[in-house]
């Protein structure tokens, strides 16, 4: 029987240098899309997929993340005094049951694979999910939930996948396709950040994974790969030869690369427009901006 996946790792140790100076004093994951920090979107998605234990792999300077998921007695007392029930209600999304959240520090930036490996003792011998909060996915059914449903059939290791333009493939982990079954793809190889002419396809790995505990054993070998870092992609690829149980899953939804400035701005526009309370005013503004620009051309 396939074991239920109830643990998720959130690698959040990165310095976020692409967003300096903002990230000089705040973690990238606390930057806000409309009115919620990036990390809230990742947590909501994990919860919807049935995750009960949340493991953050952090680093120095990330304490704002821990505070975000803690009680805020001063703000809460003030809201209660003023009778602001709606805001108190809103704060509930940041509540974490005691013991449901754990923080582990990655002391050296040795790569995504290493960050995941740092959580090995908490994962023990269970399957687990990994969510990269930089990849924000707008969809009717949350991406990880879609994957859990597919995983209920396949078991094994599953990565979210998306077609990218061929000239962008070298920014991703890329899948070599053995059998294409539509949403599901069986994988015969995986390459992290291939050179332009060496990409086996243009089906790229997006930051959602469901993995077997064997991935931790593979990471134990600490083999460095692309960019001299310990790569999660390599640890998963090892399972293809060993167990032939790696799948790509083409999720339904729109993915935003919130690790880049352009992607973050696009996500802000998309999520802003999707909000009932903001849509009309924001859409009118965007329309005006575009027409003014067109008129100037
Ligand atoms: C990481 C993974 C890569 C994946 C990407 C998705 O790369 O290593 O395989 O395609 O996330 O966002 P990063 O973007 O952290 O360099």
């Amino acid at each position: 029987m396939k074991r239920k996946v109830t643990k998720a790792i959130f690698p959040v140790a990165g310095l976020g240098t692409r967003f300096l100076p903002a990230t000089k004093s705040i973690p990238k994951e606390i930057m806000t899309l409309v009115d919620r920090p990036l990390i809230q979107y990742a947590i909501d998605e994990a919860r919807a997929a049935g995750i009960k234990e949340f493991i953050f792999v952090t680093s120095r300077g990330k304490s704002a993340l821990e505070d975000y998921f803690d009680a805020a007695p001063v703000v809460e007392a003030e809201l209660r005094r003023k009778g602001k029930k709606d805001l108190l209600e809103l704060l509930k999304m940041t509540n974490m049951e005691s013991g449901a959240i754990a923080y582990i520090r990655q002391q050296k930036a040795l790569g995504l694979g290493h960050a995941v490996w740092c959580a090995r003792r908490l994962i023990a011998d269970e399957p687990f999910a990994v969510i990269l909060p930089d990849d924000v996915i707008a969809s009717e059914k949350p991406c990880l939930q879609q994957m859990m449903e597919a995983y209920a059939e396949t078991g094994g290791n599953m990565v979210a996948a998306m077609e990218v333009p061929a000239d962008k493939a070298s920014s991703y982990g890329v899948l070599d396709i053995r059998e294409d079954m539509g949403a599901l793809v069986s994988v015969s190889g995986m390459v992290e950040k291939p050179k332009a002419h060496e990409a086996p396809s243009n089906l790229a790995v997006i930051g959602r994974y469901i993995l077997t505990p064997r991935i931790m054993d593979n990471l134990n070998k600490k083999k460095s790969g692309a960019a001299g870092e310990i790569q999660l992609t390599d640890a998963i690829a090892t399972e293809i030869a060993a167990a032939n149980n790696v799948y790509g899953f083409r999720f339904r939804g729109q993915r935003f690369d919130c690790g880049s400035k352009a992607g973050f701005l696009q996500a802000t526009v998309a999520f802003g427009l999707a909000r009932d309370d903001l849509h009309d005013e924001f859409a009118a503004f965007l329309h005006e901006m575009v027409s003014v620009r067109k008129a100037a051309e």
Side-chain angles (χ1 to χ4, degrees), residues 112 132 135 172-173 192-193 205-207 209 231 233 255:
L112 177 60
L132 309 186
D135 282 333
Y172 295 89
E192 179 67 14
K193 316 248 160 69
V205 177
I206 300 303
Y209 308 76
Q231 296 293 351
T233 298
R255 172 256 186 177

Side-chain angles (χ1 to χ4, degrees), residues 19-297:
F19 284 95
L20 280 170
T23 46
K24 186 178 169 209
S25 63
I26 53 158
K28 177 174 64 170
E29 299 76 18
I30 289 291
M31 295 201 322
T32 47
L33 262 184
V34 190
D35 53 8
R36 297 175 198 186
L38 277 188
I39 196 65
Q40 182 72 54
Y41 292 87
I43 291 286
D44 288 348
E45 188 177 329
R47 279 190 177 131
I51 297 298
K52 303 277 182 254
E53 291 181 50
F54 304 82
I55 304 164
F56 285 71
V57 181
T58 70
S59 60
R60 184 171 288 268
K62 297 274 181 168
S63 42
L65 265 172
E66 298 188 28
D67 292 342
Y68 180 76
F69 289 111
D70 200 354
V74 177
V75 182
E76 283 164 24
E78 185 66 6
L79 293 176
R80 226 168 279 125
R81 197 177 63 79
K82 291 190 173 154
K84 304 226 163 178
K85 287 204 182 108
D86 49 340
L87 292 180
L88 276 167
E89 190 56 37
L90 197 65
L91 275 186
K92 281 193 182 153
M93 70 169 81
T94 67
N95 285 358
M96 280 285 181
E97 196 196 329
S98 294
I101 192 161
Y103 301 92
I104 289 174
R105 283 209 178 178
Q106 183 190 26
Q107 278 132 341
K108 280 190 193 158
L110 296 177
L112 177 60
H114 178 262
V116 167
W117 175 81
C118 287
R120 66 199 176 282
R121 292 202 174 85
L122 292 180
I123 296 298
D125 64 347
E126 288 185 40
F128 59 100
V130 178
I131 295 189
L132 309 186
D134 271 4
D135 282 333
V136 176
I137 300 171
S139 57
E140 238 166 71
K141 185 181 281 184
C143 179
L144 190 62
Q145 192 184 347
Q146 295 176 35
M147 288 170 70
M148 289 288 191
E149 288 172 9
Y151 169 83
E153 304 295 321
T154 62
N157 298 282
M158 187 176 288
V159 300
M162 180 182 101
E163 255 83 27
V164 297
D167 63 335
K168 295 279 187 305
S170 50
S171 306
Y172 295 89
V174 179
L175 302 181
D176 201 347
I177 301 172
R178 187 198 316 276
E179 193 188 346
D180 200 329
M181 298 167 272
L184 207 60
V185 168
S186 120
V187 173
S188 60
M190 284 172 84
V191 198
E192 179 67 14
K193 316 248 160 69
K195 292 200 184 80
H197 58 283
E198 285 168 5
S201 75
N202 65 337
L203 191 58
V205 177
I206 300 303
R208 303 288 183 275
Y209 308 76
I210 301 174
L211 301 173
T212 58
R214 281 175 56 110
I215 299 301
M216 290 296 187
D217 302 334
N218 299 346
L219 288 169
N220 246 331
K221 308 210 167 80
K222 303 222 182 94
K223 249 177 72 194
S224 52
E229 295 185 340
I230 299 170
Q231 296 293 351
L232 184 57
T233 298
D234 297 342
I236 302 170
T238 305
E239 283 306 287
I240 299 169
N244 191 19
N245 63 355
V246 179
Y247 301 91
F249 180 78
R250 291 190 182 94
F251 55 93
R252 297 174 302 281
Q254 190 177 6
R255 172 256 186 177
F256 297 94
D257 174 11
C258 288
S260 81
K261 287 174 203 169
F264 205 103
L265 287 171
Q266 287 158 15
T268 301
V269 172
F271 281 82
L273 284 175
R275 282 272 294 258
D276 289 342
D277 55 335
L278 297 170
H279 177 275
D280 293 354
E281 189 183 343
F282 192 38
F285 169 76
L286 288 175
H287 187 72
E288 196 184 301
M289 289 288 282
V290 173
S291 348
V292 169
R293 224 178 128 165
K294 272 205 183 124
E297 277 167 14

